[in-house]
Amino acid sequence: MSVVKSPLPEADLKTVGDALKGALVDLVDLGLVAKQVHWNVIGPRFRSVHLQLDEVVATARQHSDTVAERSSAIGVTPDGRAATVAKQSAIGSVPDGWVKDGDAVQILVDALGAVIVRMRERIDATEKPDPVTQDILIQLTADLEKHAWMFQAENG
């Protein structure tokens, strides 16, 4: 039962709700992965990679809040709990211990790539049922793709 009533028809609400729930999971995990690597990165490019990782964390946190609030606005409860994120995220695990700067960059390239693929699927899925949600997903994907480009250039 939802206290917030959606203006969307039930079938559209399911599609959009699933897209938002998945986006939230991926964004929460991306922020966690970037922060974990941020704390453990070492190497000659430490400072630049360290700072770049914090930019990803800030982007993931900002967009996760926007996605969660959009979800709430249409009557779908957001779920960013650790167990949900661990079970549903598209991002692989991060190695334990220190992470060489080149490896850190590759971890983020892979993580961003996995999230971007799923975000683009969500963009397609929400085109007709809810252009408002689609706009949110388009903007956040553009920001993630910018980060992906910058990390790829690090190992160019």
Side-chain angles (χ1 to χ4, degrees):
M1 172 177 161
S2 176
V3 266
V4 179
K5 299 298 178 202
S6 174
L8 300 174
E10 199 60 38
D12 290 349
L13 184 61
K14 168 95 173 88
T15 299
V16 175
D18 288 349
L20 289 166
K21 285 179 177 186
L24 181 60
V25 162
D26 286 346
L27 289 167
V28 169
D29 201 24
L30 180 62
L32 292 170
V33 164
K35 196 49 117 167
Q36 180 66 27
V37 175
H38 165 91
W39 293 323
N40 290 289
V41 66
I42 58 171
R45 296 182 294 161
F46 163 79
R47 182 157 174 73
S48 64
V49 173
H50 183 80
L51 294 173
Q52 196 173 356
L53 288 162
D54 261 349
E55 292 173 7
V56 173
V57 171
T59 296
R61 287 179 179 167
Q62 174 190 0
H63 285 300
S64 65
D65 194 48
T66 301
V67 165
E69 288 177 356
R70 177 64 187 159
S71 187
S72 292
I74 63 168
V76 176
T77 56
D79 186 357
R81 296 173 298 166
T84 303
V85 172
K87 187 165 49 168
Q88 297 177 9
S89 176
I91 302 172
S93 62
V94 176
D96 189 25
W98 302 117
V99 181
K100 293 274 200 179
D101 49 11
D103 295 337
V105 168
Q106 191 58 54
I107 289 167
L108 263 290
V109 167
D110 294 344
L112 285 160
V115 172
I116 289 166
V117 165
R118 289 182 17 152
M119 289 300 179
R120 287 187 159 274
E121 292 168 355
R122 294 174 184 124
I123 289 168
D124 289 343
T126 56
E127 178 182 11
K128 286 193 169 70
D130 188 24
V132 175
T133 295
Q134 186 193 41
D135 284 349
I136 291 168
L137 296 174
I138 288 169
Q139 182 55 58
L140 76 87
T141 302
D143 290 348
L144 296 177
E145 287 178 346
K146 182 176 179 182
H147 286 299
W149 155 57
M150 291 183 174
F151 273 104
Q152 290 174 56
E154 284 277 342
N155 273 352

